[in-house]
Amino acid sequence: MDMIDYITPFTSTVDLQTGIIGDAPLIVTRRLSDVRGLYADAQAEAALVSDNPLTYEVYYGYNSPEVEGQLGYCTTIIRPGEVGDEYFMTKGHYHAKADRAEVYYGLIGEGYLLLQTPEGKINIQEMRAGVVAYVPPHWGHRTINVGSENFVFLSVFPADAGYDYKTIAEHGFASIIVEREGRPTVAPNPRYQVK
Ligand code: M6P
Ligand code: ZN
């Protein structure tokens, strides 16, 4: 029989005031310059790039081997703010292994989870502390901070899921979330390219 290469069980801690994983082996920080072309209003984006605000950070809890059977987990902290009238958001992705699912758990603040099939069918879920959201296989997903404080959630995903950012970069999401009369509103994305 093959020997199993056991991974030693462990715990790590998410600070519930901030969402920070203290001993995170990897932290990804995204400023506006890292997500150029993401927002619908290119002029507003260009005007803000000199300030180059930090829009979100991802704290990974585990440097998971990217193999079937392993899980990865992380917290995402999205700052409050807007580019034009479009709220700060993540890049969004499909999974490179498209049939991999994911679970999100809301910790702080208020956000929208925007999901899309490759055919452009949109689904929107509202998130806040305590809400568990299920991202089924094959749905692209992006999170958006629609509140006035940080929006923070925990994600758990198969470690071999991988990231397909290219499809989003080339086609975008069919909908955007914008502030209209002080409220988050779903609007058509003028830059969406049907697949
Ligand atoms: C969630 C998960 C992560 C992802 C992060 C930021 O926490 O889906 O895997 O990295 O959001 O989203 P993105 O990678 O699309 O910028
Ligand atoms: Zn994902």
Side-chain angles (χ1 to χ4, degrees), residues 93-95 100-102 104 135 139 141 155 157 161-163:
H93 59 271
Y94 291 90
H95 290 151
R100 300 311 197 242
E102 186 160 4
Y104 285 175
V135 178
W139 288 80
H141 39 289
S155 313
F157 50 88
Y163 295 93

Short mmCIF file of all heavy atoms in Angstrom, two decimals, residues 93-95 100-102 104 135 139 141 155 157 161-163, ligand 2:
data_model
loop_
_atom_site.label_atom_id
_atom_site.label_comp_id
_atom_site.label_asym_id
_atom_site.label_seq_id
_atom_site.Cartn_x
_atom_site.Cartn_y
_atom_site.Cartn_z
N HIS A 93 -13.89 36.00 -11.07
CA HIS A 93 -13.29 34.90 -11.84
C HIS A 93 -14.25 33.74 -12.00
O HIS A 93 -15.18 33.58 -11.21
CB HIS A 93 -12.00 34.41 -11.13
CG HIS A 93 -12.23 33.93 -9.73
ND1 HIS A 93 -12.18 34.76 -8.63
CD2 HIS A 93 -12.57 32.71 -9.23
CE1 HIS A 93 -12.44 34.07 -7.53
NE2 HIS A 93 -12.70 32.81 -7.88
N TYR A 94 -13.99 32.94 -13.03
CA TYR A 94 -14.50 31.57 -13.09
C TYR A 94 -13.39 30.71 -12.51
O TYR A 94 -12.24 31.15 -12.38
CB TYR A 94 -14.76 31.14 -14.55
CG TYR A 94 -15.92 31.86 -15.20
CD1 TYR A 94 -15.74 33.04 -15.89
CD2 TYR A 94 -17.21 31.33 -15.13
CE1 TYR A 94 -16.80 33.70 -16.50
CE2 TYR A 94 -18.28 31.97 -15.73
CZ TYR A 94 -18.06 33.15 -16.41
OH TYR A 94 -19.12 33.79 -17.01
N HIS A 95 -13.69 29.49 -12.17
CA HIS A 95 -12.63 28.58 -11.76
C HIS A 95 -12.00 27.96 -13.01
O HIS A 95 -12.70 27.65 -13.98
CB HIS A 95 -13.15 27.50 -10.80
CG HIS A 95 -13.50 28.09 -9.46
ND1 HIS A 95 -14.47 27.58 -8.63
CD2 HIS A 95 -12.97 29.17 -8.81
CE1 HIS A 95 -14.53 28.32 -7.53
NE2 HIS A 95 -13.64 29.29 -7.62
N ARG A 100 -15.69 23.29 -10.15
CA ARG A 100 -15.42 23.41 -8.71
C ARG A 100 -16.32 24.48 -8.09
O ARG A 100 -16.45 25.57 -8.64
CB ARG A 100 -13.96 23.76 -8.44
CG ARG A 100 -12.93 22.76 -8.96
CD ARG A 100 -13.26 21.34 -8.57
NE ARG A 100 -12.12 20.46 -8.70
CZ ARG A 100 -12.04 19.41 -9.52
NH1 ARG A 100 -13.05 19.10 -10.31
NH2 ARG A 100 -10.96 18.65 -9.54
N ALA A 101 -16.91 24.16 -6.93
CA ALA A 101 -17.80 25.08 -6.21
C ALA A 101 -17.02 25.82 -5.12
O ALA A 101 -15.80 25.64 -4.97
CB ALA A 101 -18.96 24.29 -5.60
N GLU A 102 -17.71 26.65 -4.37
CA GLU A 102 -17.06 27.45 -3.32
C GLU A 102 -18.13 27.90 -2.32
O GLU A 102 -19.30 28.02 -2.68
CB GLU A 102 -16.41 28.68 -3.99
CG GLU A 102 -15.58 29.55 -3.08
CD GLU A 102 -14.60 30.43 -3.87
OE1 GLU A 102 -14.60 30.42 -5.11
OE2 GLU A 102 -13.83 31.14 -3.21
N TYR A 104 -18.95 30.96 0.63
CA TYR A 104 -18.59 32.24 1.25
C TYR A 104 -19.39 32.40 2.55
O TYR A 104 -20.56 32.04 2.60
CB TYR A 104 -18.99 33.42 0.34
CG TYR A 104 -18.12 33.65 -0.88
CD1 TYR A 104 -18.49 34.63 -1.80
CD2 TYR A 104 -16.96 32.94 -1.12
CE1 TYR A 104 -17.73 34.89 -2.93
CE2 TYR A 104 -16.18 33.19 -2.24
CZ TYR A 104 -16.57 34.16 -3.15
OH TYR A 104 -15.81 34.42 -4.25
N VAL A 135 -21.58 29.17 -3.98
CA VAL A 135 -21.21 29.44 -5.38
C VAL A 135 -21.17 28.09 -6.09
O VAL A 135 -20.24 27.32 -5.88
CB VAL A 135 -19.83 30.14 -5.48
CG1 VAL A 135 -19.44 30.37 -6.93
CG2 VAL A 135 -19.82 31.44 -4.68
N TRP A 139 -20.33 28.84 -12.21
CA TRP A 139 -20.72 30.25 -12.13
C TRP A 139 -19.49 31.13 -11.86
O TRP A 139 -18.78 30.92 -10.87
CB TRP A 139 -21.74 30.48 -11.01
CG TRP A 139 -23.11 29.94 -11.29
CD1 TRP A 139 -23.52 28.63 -11.16
CD2 TRP A 139 -24.26 30.68 -11.72
NE1 TRP A 139 -24.85 28.52 -11.49
CE2 TRP A 139 -25.34 29.76 -11.84
CE3 TRP A 139 -24.49 32.03 -12.01
CZ2 TRP A 139 -26.62 30.16 -12.24
CZ3 TRP A 139 -25.77 32.41 -12.40
CH2 TRP A 139 -26.82 31.49 -12.51
N HIS A 141 -17.85 34.51 -10.40
CA HIS A 141 -18.29 35.20 -9.18
C HIS A 141 -17.41 36.38 -8.86
O HIS A 141 -16.20 36.34 -9.02
CB HIS A 141 -18.37 34.23 -8.00
CG HIS A 141 -17.27 33.22 -7.96
ND1 HIS A 141 -17.17 32.16 -8.84
CD2 HIS A 141 -16.18 33.10 -7.14
CE1 HIS A 141 -16.10 31.44 -8.57
NE2 HIS A 141 -15.47 32.00 -7.54
N SER A 155 -13.86 32.64 2.56
CA SER A 155 -14.12 31.74 1.42
C SER A 155 -13.45 30.41 1.67
O SER A 155 -12.32 30.37 2.19
CB SER A 155 -13.50 32.29 0.14
OG SER A 155 -13.81 33.63 -0.03
N PHE A 157 -12.67 26.82 -0.65
CA PHE A 157 -12.76 26.35 -2.04
C PHE A 157 -11.82 25.17 -2.26
O PHE A 157 -10.81 25.03 -1.55
CB PHE A 157 -12.40 27.50 -2.99
CG PHE A 157 -11.12 28.20 -2.65
CD1 PHE A 157 -9.90 27.75 -3.14
CD2 PHE A 157 -11.12 29.30 -1.79
CE1 PHE A 157 -8.72 28.38 -2.80
CE2 PHE A 157 -9.93 29.94 -1.44
CZ PHE A 157 -8.73 29.47 -1.94
N ALA A 161 -9.11 24.36 -7.67
CA ALA A 161 -10.08 25.10 -8.50
C ALA A 161 -9.37 26.02 -9.50
O ALA A 161 -9.73 26.07 -10.68
CB ALA A 161 -11.03 25.90 -7.62
N GLY A 162 -8.38 26.75 -9.05
CA GLY A 162 -7.65 27.67 -9.92
C GLY A 162 -8.49 28.88 -10.30
O GLY A 162 -9.68 28.96 -9.98
N TYR A 163 -7.86 29.82 -10.99
CA TYR A 163 -8.53 31.08 -11.35
C TYR A 163 -8.52 31.27 -12.85
O TYR A 163 -7.46 31.20 -13.48
CB TYR A 163 -7.79 32.26 -10.71
CG TYR A 163 -7.85 32.27 -9.20
CD1 TYR A 163 -6.84 31.68 -8.44
CD2 TYR A 163 -8.92 32.86 -8.54
CE1 TYR A 163 -6.91 31.69 -7.06
CE2 TYR A 163 -8.98 32.88 -7.15
CZ TYR A 163 -7.98 32.29 -6.42
OH TYR A 163 -8.04 32.30 -5.05
ZN ZN B 2 -13.68 31.31 -6.70
#
